[in-house]
Structure formats: structure tokens, C-alpha cells
Amino acid sequence: MLTGCYDQPGPLGDETDAGTEGTGSDTSVTTTDTTPTTMTSTTMSTSATTTESTTASTTASTTASTTDSTEDTSSTDPSETSEDTSTGTGEPACGDGNADPGEYCPPDAPETFNVGDGASDLVIADIDDDDNPDIITLNISAATISVLRGDGAGGFADPESHTVSDASCRIQAIDGEGDGDIDLVIAGATIVSLVNDGAGDFERNDSDVVPFGGCQDHNDLGVLNNNGGPIDVVFSGAYNNTYAPGTNPGSGWAFVNDVGIGGITEGASGVTVTEFASDADNLPDVIVLNQYYNEGELFRGDGMGGFVDAGTYVGCVGLGYGARFAETGDLDSDGQVDIVTTCMEGNFTIALGNANGTFDAPVEFVYAGAHRPLVADVNRDDYPDLLVSSSALDRINLYLNDGTGTFAQEPIVLDVGGPARSVDVGDFDNDGAADIVAAYTDMQGGRVVVFLGQP
């Protein structure tokens, strides 16, 4: 684990990890160039402002370990700058107590907390409305969630357990009922909502909506508001991607009348809620992936609970790859949505969006076991950075972005200690520095790993 202060990077080069792991009317969005390229030392685009490409009505928290080891390619060039005694306004300098723009300083070692068996997915949310972010893990084997309440100083109370449905694979947090309290929704053997009473205690509601074909390692869940009222969900099962509108008949937030998005196709995987700036309608849109196909399908929301086929983009490259998960953000600051896609056979790609609704050919990044990506401004410079978990290398790679789509020459490597499948970012100790959290399970049980940023 490297420590140090990492500021603005040069172009990103290939990593040394081997990539081995386990019909509508609008068709204007198509890939303009399907010839894949591989990132060497290439600047991906040029421009200026960030958006995390999900509208206020489309996201909850967003939101990315099998054991194989390769060499550690983390950065070895900490920034050397003069001492700064200001409060977040000076040059990046680790250890001065200031979370300055452009600075990310990881700890010597993460803090680890025991949670339920099978911990894999997680989300950060303030569930008890005390202005301190909490961590909620989804524990597949135990069919539970674990809630770790933050104390605002980087510490957490003992985990609280709540039972959910069997074979649960994905969790999201959002105010589902519009009452100001953060609720939870989980995709498993059924869709389960946990309605918050405002103090962080939950009432469980099981919907009649059943994920089509169950929930597997590559299946997904997203939240959105496509027709007003309670928050809706989209989710993927083994054979289909589905939209289910939210309802509250007086007994709490639940879901009804699920309809398929696209045709029934075996191998459904990631389903990502976003908002394509190119359609200028401010309505939630959806990206649908399949574990057997490199192309991702694009669907535009119509604002009435329906989706219009909007073409495809190339997410992964090579024979037999297939796509796992996608995340969106404006990586090159041109006001358009760009798509990060992790692939079933390892590695991940970035496809830059254009103003006419098309996407460039994907740029591939070599990264064994790439699982779930997350776009977030980690070094607080107002440009979105990229974190990608690896279930093969037991780590998270952090790629710092200079705002033009140019990423760090080498990623910052955060060693998780187990198969990392998801990642989230918050500020648990209120020091202004980003804290990074992941969950994993090994032979000893479920774990939460917290990397507290060191300003």
C-alpha cells in the first residue's frame, strides 16, 4: 500500500495486469467507429466541467475481487510541495491537514470491520439523518444487510443486521417515498424495499415483482423516477432487463406492473440509469448490457414509464468478452455522457460520447478481474475520477482525471485484502478528504474495508 499525495497526472499507459477472470422509433444513437483501440499514452479528449451524468431523479448512490496476483502498478511519485497552512485553498500537500483541490492521500493501511457472510455490494447513505454517512452492506450468503452507523469522526458502531430475500445481488439507497428519509431497495429472489422510519430503522416490504431468472454475480439494479411519484427501479435477471414503477398504497414503498426493457435475451447483466445530454429532455435513460455480447443497448425514457430503443454502443472488445457493468460520467468535460464498461473476461473500456448522441470506439484498459466501475471526484478538483474494483486482484484501482479525459500514468492501487466487487466514496470523518470503502468476503466471513483519506 503506497502513501503519498497524488496530484494532476500525465497520460495513462497500459497496466501490466493480464486480463483474465473468471424495437423503437428512435435509432439515432449508434456507434460511430467500431474499431477498438487500446490506451497507451493517449489523451482521450479535451474540454472543461464535470457531471456524474445522472439527474437528481435517476440515481441513488453509486456507483465497483477471485484471487490471482500480479505486480503492483501503483504510483510511486508523491507530490513534493511546500507546506500549506491554509484550509483547502493551497497547493496539494499531504500531511498538512488541508484537503486541497487535486490532492488524494491514502492511509498506510485501511480499517477493516466484520459484517455479514457473503458481503459483496455496499452503499454509503445517511440513514439516521445525523449528517454522518453510514455504510450498508449486502450480504449474499446470509441474506441480510449490515448497517454500520458512522460517528462523524471516522468510526462506526457495531453492525446491525436486517434480513432480506435470498440470492440478493444488488442494493441501492434513495428516498423512495419522498419523505426526506433514505430508504433501501434490494434485488434478490424478489424486489425488497426497506422503508426508513427516519431514525434508521426499517420496515421490510416484499414486492410481487420477481427478477426474471434470479440474481447472479453480473446482474444489476438501478433507481430512477420515470413517471412521478414513488421512485421506480430497473433490474436485470438471468434472461431479461425489467422496469417496475414504484407505488405506495399506504403500506409502504413497493413495486408493481414490471415490464421488460428490450427483448427477452439470455445473459442479461448490467443495467445503468443515466441521462443522455444529447436528447436534452432531462428524463432518465437506461444502458442495458449482456454477458454474451460486446455491444450495450441504449434506451431513452419517455417520462411515462416507457423506454424507446436508441441504438447501441460498443462496450467491450474481442471475441467472447461480453459486458458486465457500466457507469457514466462526463470524463472529458464536453457536456456529454461517456460510458465506462467492465467486461466479463476482465479489463474495462471507456467510450466517449458525442453531441449527436453517438459514441466513439472504446478505449481498452488492461485490468484483470475488473468488476464494478464508479465515477467520482476523489481528489476534489471538480473533475470526475474513476475507481474500478477487481475481484481477481483483490484491490481497487483509482485513476485520477485532469478534466480532459486524460488519466494518471499509473493508477493508485488500494489493496482491499479480498475479492473486491463494489466501491463507494464518502467523507466519514468530516475532514473534506474523500474516503473510499469496499466490501468483500473470504474464508473468515464478510468484511468492510475503509480507506480514510489523509489530508
Side-chain angles (χ1 to χ4, degrees), residues 52-54 59 61-64 170 220 272-274 287 289 313 325-331 337-342 349-351 372-376 385-387 423:
E52 207 164 315
S53 288
T54 46
T59 64
S61 97
T62 53
T63 321
R170 187 75 169 115
D220 209 358
T272 302
V273 178
T274 187
I287 301 168
L289 303 179
Y313 80 102
F325 297 114
E327 170 79 333
T328 61
D330 183 7
L331 302 179
V337 169
D338 309 312
I339 307 176
V340 182
T341 307
T342 57
T349 68
I350 296 178
R372 190 179 292 280
L374 175 70
V375 173
D385 306 306
L386 176 61
L387 302 100
V423 59

Side-chain angles (χ1 to χ4, degrees), residues 97-112:
N98 300 317
D100 298 311
E103 171 186 281
Y104 175 67
C105 310
D108 290 329
E111 299 184 27
T112 303

Side-chain angles (χ1 to χ4, degrees), residues 55 63 69 75 124 134 174-175 219 232 234 255 284 307 360 368 394:
T55 64
T63 321
S69 73
S75 174
I124 297 172
D134 311 304
I174 196 168
D175 181 3
N219 294 134
D232 315 314
V234 290
F255 307 95
F307 295 89
D360 289 346
D394 299 352

